[in-house]
Amino acid sequence: MERSPAPPLLQRLLRPRLLAGLVAAVCLSATATVWWGARRDAERDANADFEYRARELVNNVAVRMQAYVQVLYGVQGLFASSDYVDREEFRTYIERLELAQNFPGMHGVGYMRYVPGPQLAAHVATLQAEGFPDYQVTPPGQRSQYGPVVYLEPFTGNNLHAFGYDGLSEPTRRAAFEQARDSGLPSMTGKLLLKQETADPVQAGFIVALPIYQNGVGRYTLAQRRAALKGWVYAPFRMGDVMAALGHDALHGLDVEIYDGDGMNGLSLMFDSSPQAAAPAAQRAIKRLSLAGRRWTLQVSALPKAGGVLSDTPRAIALGGTLLSALLALLAYVLAESRQRLRRALWHSDRMADELREGQETLLAMAEHAQGSQAVLRSILDSTVDGILVDNYRGTVLNSNRRFRQVWNVPEQLDWQNDGAILFGHMAAQLERPELFMQASACHELDDDECHSQLQMRDGRVLEVTTRPLRLGSEPARIWSFRDITERTLNARREEARHQVLELLAAGAPQQQVLDSLLRGLEAANPGMMCSVMLLDDEGRHLLVAAAPSLPAFFNDAIHNQPVGYGNGSCGKAVSSNSRVIVDDIRTDPLWLPYRELAARAGLGACWSEPVRGANGKVLGAFAIYHREAQRPSVAHLALIDQAASLAGIAIEQARAAEALRVGEARFRSLYDHAPVALWQQDWSAARRALQELAESGVDDIATWLQNNPSQLQRLAGLVRITDVNAAALAQVGADPACKQTGRLSLAQIFAPAAQERFAQALLALQQGQHLFQGEASFLRLDGVERQNEMTLLVMPGHEHALDFVIVSTLDITERKRLNDELVQLATTDFLTGLPNRREFMARLESEQARLQRDVGGRAAVLMLDIDHFKNINDAHGHDWGDAVLRHLAGLMRDSQRKIDMLGRVGGEEFAILLPGADMEAARAFAERLRQRIADTPLQHNGSSIAITVSIGIAGMAPADRSGDAALVRADHALYRAKRAGRNRVEG
């Protein structure tokens, strides 16, 4: 019967379960969308809150530890303020700090005295005499140096256990104390158990120490710091107490684990706020903190909450939406169920009709498939890329495809269908080693499921063979699959040879060794071949044997240094014509006429030559393949010749380039070592990483931070590493140029401690990406003399992001600056009196006039002085007395001037004084005091004395004056009025 029409789409959608499912799916999807948005908002808020609390916790720990370090700096300052700090002074200072109230978590501050081994007995006797008769250094034993605790405040409770303990006796403490001694900076120990830790619960502890040096002794170099060491001030800490000092709110809801160093394991764990929280936390952050030369790793995790991440809003949305979806789905199902029952009977009848029709269609399809199966099988076999052969182990060939006959060059007239031995013999004749193939073909049955091998053809091709057993009915059979992998094999061999050549080139092997290795690899992969490479000489007229490992020595000697051109063998013709030359039979080819007997003695029958070209196409020589028998090359052989010649060209050029590079490097090294300019090769990468860590820790303005923390700037300078110097640099700092001892050098040989500001500028410039920095700074020679240098810092290309290769050139400009200063002194100073000359005084006068014009209400005055009857002094006593009078007057003027006043000699016996900020009344009082002092101070010269008086003119400077010279002219007029009025007086 005919099948009834399919129900419309609307009816299918109205099926009870489908409709109920659609309604439920739509409602649940809407509920899920709203719930997911609310959940994501809640999770984002929770994650933001956790990240803020974790970052705040790390900052609090850093601030707390910095406060502790500042306490130690204060104690260090106490020792620096006095040559000896006794026990009572130390106790009083620590009590005034009120550690328990102002620095919670800090249980004490101690002082360890450095005691050399021979002085131990005297040290113990001194402490016992101070009132500690039972004092001993612990642990006992003979050591080269000791660091016993002699002061420790508060000197009560568990702190008494540390009195006399030698901190240098234990490796962890000793490493931190030696680091503080050598760097001069605070240093922190690793995880350890404090001597004060005598009761449960046992806590991990650590110590922060600062070195104490002898006052008045230089500490610029490592040797000076070690020699000046007196001891250390230190503070012991219990990890739990340090964290408790942060307050309960800082750790509330967080599981904080602190590890010593970068690793996180049980041995390095120093603190765990919630040991019972073993389950992985959903919110976790890893923070690293650098403190006093030590790194801590903080793992901060959020403790689980009773309500989880979700708030009440997502839960209410999920519950309400689910209930509503269930109610709507149930209602849809009830409404559609009644309609479904009415259509069920009709559906059963349509189904039976459909099954009958499908059975009829299946029978027709099977009949069509049977008719075309034979044609499909043949088409598949003929279209495969592999050659397929099927035999029955007894010499009968059951089937083959077209590709098989193409691969093996099977002629149409070969009668192999009736006798399979004829076919296998034809195949064996084309192989380099036919015996292995014949053994495999004679096998009666395969043992393995699948067997793989490769066959080398005489024409250079390589076939990959796969044999598999199968059964045709009850008879066993075997299927052969042949695939031409010549190109893949050649590529693999080429890459192997190329890799080997590159390894030799990288190792600096000579050209002869590289070419020998290349040719031996080609000969090993192609049995029967003998290869050679001949290169043109420098003039390009003769060919030289560069490599021929398998050819007889007499043959190589005979063809070595033969001229290029026709009639000189295959290689000569290939080079002269810049083209491939194939000689398949040396005995008959005219190219080999001069060397025919020689080739016969060497047993050579064929020669194929290819020009060896460089990257620019220039012919470098020729690559040749020889055979014992006359033979023409196949397509695979031609590809091999082309690839081998190309690889030989690469090897030759690379070998020559490597040799040129080695020569160039030697020349550059010689130029570097003998350059007249001081050159330094330095590694700034550690300092750059330290700056990055500062930025990551929250320091925004690094320049200001370094200015406020000079000790950290010294630490950064210590991170710069000198990797190489030349002889000029060694001579500049006073080292032996013949002995490079970079370990004796430091950054102080470029930036002295007084030039730390200039070092900070250079460091920030390089950190910000500048490739060049120039400037002047002071440096320290190894003998301690400080001099001036002019420097240039250059970041080598390719190292901008690491700063691990910085070239610094320095020039000692000490003498040049001294000469410049002397020239400036000569240009601005009167040689006789040492006062500024007229030019310098007038420049200062003009500057003051400009200031008055800018400063409304400003005041200034000018004095002109002239020695009374100076000509009479010269005439009566001589010019030496006159010079002495001038110097005497200059000295009295210097004694009377203020710091802001300006003196000058403006004529023979005329002097001028500029008084900034003085009105006429103040200027008159100053002039009168000066006049009186000069009159009361006669010159004592050569046992005699002479009275001196001066006349002084005063003038005030006015902003309305066009120049300062106007006030000087008015003062000069006042001077002449004083002279006319009787001299030894002041007029203005």
Side-chain angles (χ1 to χ4, degrees):
M1 60 178 292
E2 278 189 2
R3 182 177 178 183
S4 61
L9 177 61
L10 181 58
Q11 293 181 1
R12 291 199 298 270
L13 292 176
L14 291 177
R15 292 174 183 174
R17 294 178 180 173
L18 179 58
L19 182 61
L22 288 175
V23 172
V26 171
C27 294
L28 290 176
S29 298
T31 301
T33 301
V34 177
W35 171 83
W36 177 254
R39 176 188 176 90
R40 188 167 54 184
D41 292 340
E43 287 180 343
R44 183 170 57 250
D45 294 340
N47 289 335
D49 180 69
F50 169 76
E51 182 62 26
Y52 170 78
R53 294 196 60 200
R55 186 166 57 252
E56 185 181 45
L57 174 65
V58 174
N59 291 338
N60 289 341
V61 173
V63 170
R64 174 63 60 182
M65 292 306 302
Q66 186 64 31
Y68 295 155
V69 172
Q70 292 302 322
V71 171
L72 292 182
Y73 272 120
V75 180
Q76 187 187 49
L78 173 65
F79 278 88
S81 65
S82 174
D83 291 336
Y84 177 77
V85 176
D86 60 24
R87 191 178 305 275
E88 184 61 24
E89 290 176 333
F90 185 88
R91 183 188 63 79
T92 302
Y93 181 87
I94 300 303
E95 283 183 353
R96 296 294 175 84
L97 292 178
E98 297 183 354
L99 298 179
Q101 297 179 7
N102 299 327
F103 303 96
M106 193 174 192
H107 293 284
V109 178
Y111 170 57
M112 290 173 47
R113 181 173 295 164
Y114 173 71
V115 179
Q119 301 177 13
L120 177 62
H123 166 76
V124 173
T126 300
L127 263 293
Q128 290 177 351
E130 290 180 1
F132 301 98
D134 297 329
Y135 172 83
Q136 291 294 329
V137 175
T138 60
Q142 293 290 333
R143 293 183 288 277
S144 60
Q145 55 186 358
Y146 300 86
V149 177
V150 295
Y151 298 166
L152 182 59
E153 295 296 336
F155 196 62
T156 59
N158 291 339
N159 283 348
L160 298 177
H161 294 286
F163 184 56
Y165 178 75
D166 178 14
L168 298 181
S169 65
E170 192 267 322
T172 301
R173 291 175 170 85
R174 184 174 64 251
F177 294 146
E178 290 179 348
Q179 180 181 351
R181 174 200 65 192
D182 294 343
S183 64
L185 302 176
S187 178
M188 180 188 295
T189 68
K191 174 184 177 182
L192 51 78
L193 185 65
L194 298 175
K195 297 300 292 182
Q196 293 92 329
E197 200 69 36
T198 59
D200 291 328
V202 176
Q203 298 185 25
F206 62 93
I207 293 175
V208 179
L210 268 174
I212 301 299
Y213 300 106
Q214 298 178 14
N215 295 334
V217 179
R219 301 190 294 274
Y220 300 119
T221 65
L222 177 63
Q224 290 176 342
R225 288 193 290 272
R226 290 183 175 179
L229 181 69
K230 291 176 60 179
W232 297 266
V233 291
Y234 76 97
F237 299 90
R238 302 171 73 199
M239 197 66 225
D241 296 341
V242 171
M243 297 304 295
L246 299 179
H248 175 72
D249 291 339
L251 302 178
H252 180 67
L254 298 177
D255 178 16
V256 181
E257 297 176 10
I258 301 180
Y259 298 86
D260 180 30
D262 292 329
M264 294 190 297
N265 52 64
L267 295 178
S268 62
L269 179 63
M270 300 179 67
F271 176 76
D272 188 355
S273 63
S274 299
Q276 67 279 5
Q283 297 172 324
R284 176 169 294 174
I286 303 298
K287 305 289 184 180
R288 287 182 168 82
L289 189 60
S290 295
L291 301 168
R294 196 76 183 179
R295 285 174 67 87
W296 283 358
T297 300
L298 285 78
Q299 176 174 281
V300 184
S301 307
L303 294 175
K305 300 179 181 178
V309 176
L310 292 178
S311 62
D312 294 335
T313 300
R315 295 193 193 92
I317 292 174
L319 181 59
T322 303
L323 292 177
L324 182 60
S325 300
L327 290 175
L328 292 176
L330 179 61
L331 179 60
Y333 179 85
V334 171
L335 293 175
E337 178 64 24
S338 59
R339 184 179 182 84
Q340 179 68 23
R341 292 174 182 174
L342 296 177
R343 300 186 55 83
R344 189 165 298 166
L346 181 61
W347 178 80
H348 280 292
S349 62
D350 290 344
R351 181 180 179 188
M352 294 177 64
D354 290 342
E355 289 178 353
L356 179 59
R357 188 181 62 179
E358 289 175 359
Q360 292 174 349
E361 292 175 354
T362 301
L363 290 175
L364 292 175
M366 291 176 62
E368 293 176 358
H369 178 72
Q371 292 176 2
S373 60
Q374 186 67 28
V376 172
L377 177 60
R378 173 51 55 187
S379 177
I380 291 175
L381 285 176
D382 289 340
S383 62
T384 57
V385 296
D386 294 343
I388 304 297
L389 177 69
V390 182
D391 71 332
N392 62 357
Y393 295 102
R394 295 192 300 273
T396 302
V397 177
L398 303 178
N399 206 340
S400 67
N401 67 346
R402 184 184 299 113
R403 180 59 180 164
F404 167 77
R405 294 188 291 275
Q406 293 173 350
V407 169
W408 288 99
N409 301 315
V410 179
E412 294 293 336
Q413 66 275 14
L414 188 65
D415 186 18
W416 54 270
Q417 289 86 352
N418 297 323
D419 188 357
I422 297 176
L423 178 62
F424 284 113
H426 172 76
M427 296 167 63
Q430 303 179 55
L431 299 174
E432 287 284 354
R433 301 183 64 184
E435 63 277 3
L436 298 179
F437 174 73
M438 294 305 293
Q439 291 176 5
S441 63
C443 181
H444 293 294
E445 190 168 352
L446 292 177
D447 296 330
D448 300 329
D449 292 339
E450 189 172 296
C451 182
H452 299 274
S453 61
Q454 290 185 1
L455 299 177
Q456 181 70 45
M457 308 288 284
R458 291 184 182 274
D459 60 2
R461 291 182 297 153
V462 179
L463 300 182
E464 184 180 55
V465 183
T466 303
T467 57
R468 303 181 186 89
L470 56 85
R471 293 193 96 46
L472 298 177
S474 60
E475 181 181 11
R478 170 176 54 184
I479 181 171
W480 300 73
S481 175
F482 302 93
R483 175 170 295 183
D484 190 339
I485 59 171
T486 304
E487 184 176 357
R488 186 177 73 190
T489 303
L490 290 178
N491 289 337
R493 292 174 180 172
R494 180 183 59 189
E495 288 301 318
E496 182 180 356
R498 180 175 176 275
H499 181 69
Q500 185 177 7
V501 167
L502 291 179
E503 285 185 347
L504 291 173
L505 291 174
Q511 176 180 288
Q512 174 71 34
Q513 182 180 355
V514 174
L515 292 178
D516 278 349
S517 175
L518 172 62
L519 298 185
R520 291 185 186 278
L522 292 173
E523 292 172 351
N526 300 274
M529 290 185 179
M530 294 169 287
C531 304
S532 72
V533 173
M534 302 188 71
L535 299 179
L536 286 169
D537 60 6
D538 295 337
E539 297 179 355
R541 297 181 180 179
H542 295 80
L543 282 174
L544 309 176
V545 177
S550 299
L551 292 177
F554 70 87
F555 180 80
N556 292 333
D557 293 340
I559 65 175
H560 185 72
N561 201 28
Q562 291 297 320
V564 176
Y566 183 84
N568 287 311
S570 304
C571 293
K573 177 64 181 299
V575 171
S576 62
S577 63
N578 192 14
S579 62
R580 183 181 299 152
V581 176
I582 303 298
V583 175
D584 54 359
D585 191 348
I586 293 178
R587 294 172 298 178
T588 60
D589 196 288
L591 287 175
W592 281 86
L593 182 60
Y595 308 105
R596 192 169 293 168
E597 294 182 1
L598 182 69
R601 284 179 54 200
L604 306 178
C607 178
W608 311 330
S609 299
E610 178 79 13
V612 176
R613 303 177 183 88
N616 57 0
K618 180 181 179 181
V619 177
L620 305 177
F623 169 77
I625 295 178
Y626 294 89
H627 286 272
R628 297 291 184 185
E629 304 294 336
Q631 185 177 350
R632 287 197 63 80
S634 65
V635 176
H637 288 149
L638 295 178
L640 175 63
I641 295 172
D642 184 67
Q643 293 176 0
S646 176
L647 188 58
I650 294 174
I652 292 169
E653 284 197 328
Q654 291 295 326
R656 291 178 177 178
E659 180 62 26
L661 180 61
R662 285 192 292 271
V663 173
E665 288 179 347
R667 291 175 178 173
F668 174 78
R669 187 67 206 184
S670 177
L671 177 63
Y672 175 84
D673 288 337
H674 298 90
V677 179
L679 297 176
W680 310 72
Q681 181 178 324
Q682 299 180 350
D683 182 355
W684 292 52
S685 58
R688 180 179 182 275
R689 287 193 297 270
L691 287 183
Q692 289 178 340
E693 292 176 358
L694 285 175
E696 293 172 357
S697 65
V699 179
D700 296 329
D701 190 349
I702 295 181
T704 304
W705 189 89
L706 290 177
Q707 184 177 2
N708 296 333
N709 296 270
S711 61
Q712 294 299 318
L713 189 60
Q714 295 176 6
R715 182 179 70 86
L716 292 175
L719 296 177
V720 177
R721 189 166 59 90
I722 299 175
T723 58
D724 195 10
V725 294
N726 67 350
L730 293 173
Q732 181 174 296
V733 299
D736 184 4
C739 182
K740 289 186 178 181
Q741 298 179 355
T742 56
R744 299 179 56 198
L745 306 176
S746 67
L747 199 64
Q749 274 67 66
I750 298 176
F751 297 97
Q756 289 298 300
E757 181 178 356
R758 178 67 71 178
F759 164 69
Q761 296 173 0
L763 181 60
L764 292 175
L766 299 186
Q767 173 71 7
Q768 294 168 1
Q770 296 185 22
H771 300 172
L772 182 68
F773 179 84
Q774 295 176 316
E776 295 181 1
S778 60
F779 72 97
L780 279 182
R781 289 171 48 91
L782 293 181
D783 56 7
V785 177
E786 183 171 332
R787 296 178 67 84
Q788 299 291 318
N789 67 358
E790 185 178 71
M791 60 187 172
T792 300
L793 280 73
L794 176 64
V795 181
M796 298 304 292
H799 300 264
E800 297 88 349
H801 301 295
L803 299 184
D804 57 354
F805 192 178
V806 179
I807 291 294
V808 181
S809 65
T810 58
L811 179 65
D812 191 332
I813 59 172
T814 307
E815 292 301 319
R816 188 178 74 187
K817 290 182 71 64
R818 183 185 63 80
L819 292 176
N820 289 340
D821 293 341
E822 290 180 357
L823 290 177
V824 171
Q825 181 74 11
L826 290 174
T828 60
T829 306
D830 176 59
F831 73 95
L832 178 62
T833 62
L835 297 178
N837 58 19
R838 180 180 182 85
R839 178 190 300 172
E840 181 66 13
F841 182 83
M842 293 304 296
R844 175 65 184 275
L845 187 65
E846 293 299 332
S847 176
E848 183 65 18
Q849 180 66 33
R851 185 190 68 82
L852 290 177
Q853 292 174 350
R854 294 191 303 270
D855 183 11
V856 178
R859 296 172 300 179
V862 179
L863 277 65
M864 285 288 293
L865 290 80
D866 187 86
I867 302 175
D868 296 334
H869 306 295
F870 181 71
K871 185 175 183 304
N872 295 337
I873 296 175
N874 279 331
D875 294 342
H877 302 281
H879 287 286
D880 57 336
W881 275 82
D883 293 343
V885 167
L886 294 176
R887 288 193 295 270
H888 177 68
L889 178 60
L892 294 176
M893 292 171 63
R894 286 195 194 94
D895 294 339
S896 302
Q897 75 172 117
R898 302 172 300 172
K899 289 186 177 180
I900 61 173
D901 297 341
M902 176 70 175
L903 308 180
R905 181 185 179 190
V906 296
E909 67 274 16
E910 290 185 344
F911 296 83
I913 302 176
L914 172 62
L915 302 176
D919 55 13
M920 288 296 294
E921 183 178 354
R924 183 179 297 277
F926 174 83
E928 188 61 37
R929 288 195 303 271
L930 178 62
R931 182 199 64 78
Q932 188 64 44
R933 183 176 183 183
I934 294 172
D936 295 341
T937 311
L939 169 66
Q940 304 294 330
H941 186 62
N942 295 331
S944 301
S945 66
I946 183 171
I948 304 171
T949 61
V950 294
S951 300
I952 302 176
I954 307 172
M957 298 184 68
D961 292 340
R962 299 182 58 184
S963 67
D965 189 57
L968 193 64
V969 170
R970 292 196 295 272
D972 190 56
H973 291 166
L975 170 63
Y976 280 101
R977 289 198 302 272
K979 284 182 174 290
R980 287 193 296 270
R983 292 185 172 84
N984 192 21
R985 60 187 296 120
V986 176
E987 290 289 341

